[in-house]
Amino acid sequence: MITDTARQKRKQMLEDPVVPLTLKTALPSLAAMLASGLATLMDALILSPLGRDVTAAVAVSFPLVTLIQTIGFTLGMGAGSLISRCLGRGEQDEARHAASCSLLLALLLGLLLLCAGLLVPLALVRLLGATPAVERDAAVYARYLLLGAPLTCLSLVLSSLLRGQGLVLPNMAAYSLGGAAGVLLQFLLVRRAGLGLLGAGIAMLAREGLTLLLLALAVLRGPAFIRPSLSRCLPTLSILAGIMRSGLPTLIRQGFMSVSGVMVSRVSAGFGEAALAGMGLAVRALALASSAVIGFGQGFQPVCGVNYGARRMDRVRYAYCFCMKTLVFSLLAVGALVFLFAQPLLALFGAEAQATAFAARVLRAQSVVLAAQGAVILMNMLTQAMGLTVRATLVASSRQGPILMALLALMPRLFGETGLVLAQSASDLIALALSYLLTRKLFAEELTQQGLSVRESPGS
């Protein structure tokens, strides 16, 4: 049974003009992820002046961020994509069941990570590649990251549930307010009170807690019409399969990101602490651009999912082409600016000169292929929203999976530091070629099944 509110939202997603509708969902999602990325960037900006050891400690702990996001994004993307397709088919009860199950699983898995943070933080950061000089600082930072794991996992799932319903403004508000409050508190505790990584950890928990509270209010008492309930939280095989069909590509992608992140830390540490700290700075600076691209793609997903569920491939194709052109041209401009101003940008962090110089080399190498990175991410969002598990998994793992791992093992040995700097950029170009081959005939195949040709699809 679909309610009047859900029916009205479904009608809007299926009948409103594609470009304004896509921008209406994509831009607030972009703003939400941009706020999250800015909070990450400000973490580095506030902590970098504390010394190279602290910067390196934060860099070592970064794969844990990816691990936490793996849980939240996998369950959130899976449930959110399933909800969009259910709404397209008019199946609101199944959408509510998926939302409830994904939240329960996020809570349980987040609590497991919290236990790891309490029990074995020092052993964990050693496994991640921490050197003896930075392992104690890294353990402190890692402990707070893992203490906040349940909050982060639940926030990411709630965010995806709202986005799957086409509700993006609550996300923007929650991440903007949570990020701003976290940055302000971190500045006060780290710079003014002199609490160092302890203050950074407290501020991180406060940021995640406030973000979760605002998202929960939007889902339980705000504009959401798919509301989780305790009576529907026990998973069934069909619901788990539906969530994982859409979430598996994210699980694979994020899992590979965690492993490749550890490899990057270990290989960077082999070139000294300056390289390790510089790579950490570059990764955090690039996270801002990546967050914006992911946010834009996440805004496209509900338009894609609902229309695909209703078999409106003409509208899916039109929205995808618009988003791809917008993304590529925007990232070409951003990449040019980053290439020109990489050194002044990184100088703002106040890190040591050697670390800053290394980070600038990485940033310039990545700026050249930003458009390729964005195109691959959007191809992943498309195939994932459509529930095409195999293609979505191959596209999702192309940038930071076996290809990058092989390049990290080979290029630094052949070309030294330059090989480390260029490994991710080379992986992005190979990923673009592979992803294009996997998606280039997708719309022709889907439209043929509906008895249409590509030329007959108006996309309006």
Side-chain angles (χ1 to χ4, degrees):
M1 179 66 180
I2 188 165
T3 63
D4 289 340
T5 305
R7 188 179 293 109
Q8 182 180 2
K9 188 66 179 180
R10 179 177 183 271
K11 185 174 184 291
Q12 179 187 36
M13 298 291 276
L14 294 176
E15 297 181 8
D16 281 6
V18 170
V19 171
L21 175 65
T22 304
L23 289 176
K24 186 178 177 180
T25 58
L27 293 181
S29 292
L30 184 153
M33 288 300 294
L34 202 57
S36 180
L38 278 171
T40 300
L41 193 63
M42 291 302 296
D43 283 349
L45 188 62
I46 293 170
L47 291 173
S48 292
L50 299 182
R52 186 168 64 187
D53 287 352
V54 171
T55 305
V58 173
V60 165
S61 303
F62 199 75
L64 292 178
V65 177
T66 307
L67 177 61
I68 295 168
Q69 290 176 343
T70 298
I71 295 173
F73 280 140
T74 297
L75 295 172
M77 289 281 196
S81 296
L82 179 58
I83 285 170
S84 293
R85 294 196 299 276
C86 286
L87 291 177
R89 298 191 297 263
E91 300 171 353
Q92 190 171 354
D93 287 340
E94 186 176 352
R96 183 179 292 109
H97 195 177
S100 305
C101 293
S102 61
L103 283 170
L104 176 63
L105 292 172
L107 176 61
L108 294 177
L109 293 173
L111 288 173
L112 284 178
L113 289 180
L114 183 150
C115 292
L118 292 175
L119 297 175
V120 289
L122 196 58
L124 196 57
V125 296
R126 287 172 180 166
L127 181 65
L128 295 177
T131 61
V134 305
E135 63 181 21
R136 293 199 177 276
D137 284 339
V140 172
Y141 194 73
R143 182 181 289 112
Y144 281 99
L145 281 174
L146 294 173
L147 284 173
L151 304 176
T152 305
C153 291
L154 288 170
S155 293
L156 290 172
V157 172
L158 286 172
S159 173
S160 293
L161 297 183
L162 286 166
R163 195 166 49 246
Q165 301 171 56
L167 302 171
V168 288
L169 290 178
N171 280 338
M172 183 177 68
Y175 280 100
S176 298
L177 292 173
V183 168
L184 177 60
L185 184 59
Q186 186 180 56
F187 179 80
L188 294 174
L189 294 178
V190 175
R191 293 288 185 87
R192 297 300 186 191
L195 294 181
L197 288 174
L198 174 62
I202 294 171
M204 188 190 311
L205 290 176
R207 179 186 71 206
E208 297 300 329
L210 178 58
T211 302
L212 175 60
L213 175 62
L214 294 172
L215 289 170
L217 288 174
V219 169
L220 298 176
R221 298 186 179 277
F225 49 87
I226 302 296
R227 303 185 194 278
S229 68
L230 290 175
S231 63
R232 304 300 302 274
C233 68
L234 293 179
T236 63
L237 188 59
S238 62
I239 288 296
L240 283 176
I243 292 174
M244 290 312 299
R245 266 197 300 270
S246 296
L248 182 62
T250 298
L251 176 63
I252 300 296
R253 182 191 70 218
Q254 294 289 126
F256 277 133
M257 280 180 66
S258 296
V259 176
S260 62
V262 174
M263 280 192 70
V264 167
S265 294
R266 285 183 169 275
V267 175
S268 299
F271 291 98
E273 289 179 15
L276 179 58
M279 183 61 76
L281 283 177
V283 167
R284 285 179 172 254
L286 289 165
L288 184 62
S290 297
S291 295
V293 173
I294 291 171
F296 191 77
Q298 287 174 344
F300 158 75
Q301 279 192 309
V303 177
C304 176
V306 173
N307 282 278
Y308 180 72
R311 311 308 296 161
R312 289 296 309 274
M313 282 303 298
D314 55 327
R315 288 172 62 83
V316 175
R317 175 177 175 270
Y318 195 84
Y320 173 73
C321 292
F322 166 73
C323 287
M324 182 62 79
K325 292 174 184 177
T326 302
L327 204 55
V328 168
F329 285 116
S330 299
L331 288 175
L332 286 173
V334 171
L337 291 174
V338 170
F339 188 89
L340 292 173
F341 300 106
Q343 191 77 31
L345 172 65
L346 291 165
L348 296 173
F349 290 86
E352 294 184 1
Q354 285 182 306
T356 300
F358 187 88
R361 293 172 65 192
V362 176
L363 208 57
R364 287 197 176 101
Q366 278 285 274
S367 69
V368 175
V369 295
L370 267 184
Q373 176 184 330
V376 172
I377 290 174
L378 192 64
M379 292 178 204
N380 178 33
M381 296 291 184
L382 170 71
T383 51
Q384 195 167 5
M386 293 168 64
L388 305 176
T389 306
V390 175
R391 292 196 212 196
T393 301
L394 291 173
V395 174
S397 60
S398 61
R399 282 192 64 242
Q400 292 177 301
I403 295 172
L404 176 59
M405 293 176 194
L407 292 173
L408 283 170
L410 181 63
M411 291 182 67
R413 292 185 180 182
L414 295 177
F415 307 110
E417 277 192 4
T418 301
L420 174 60
V421 168
L422 295 177
Q424 181 65 72
S425 299
S427 180
D428 286 344
L429 293 176
I430 296 172
L432 177 64
L434 175 62
S435 300
Y436 174 72
L437 290 175
L438 288 168
T439 58
R440 66 192 178 98
K441 294 184 178 180
L442 179 60
F443 291 107
E445 294 169 3
E446 292 288 338
L447 288 166
T448 299
Q449 291 178 11
Q450 296 180 39
L452 297 172
S453 70
V454 173
R455 290 184 178 180
E456 291 173 328
S457 61
S460 58

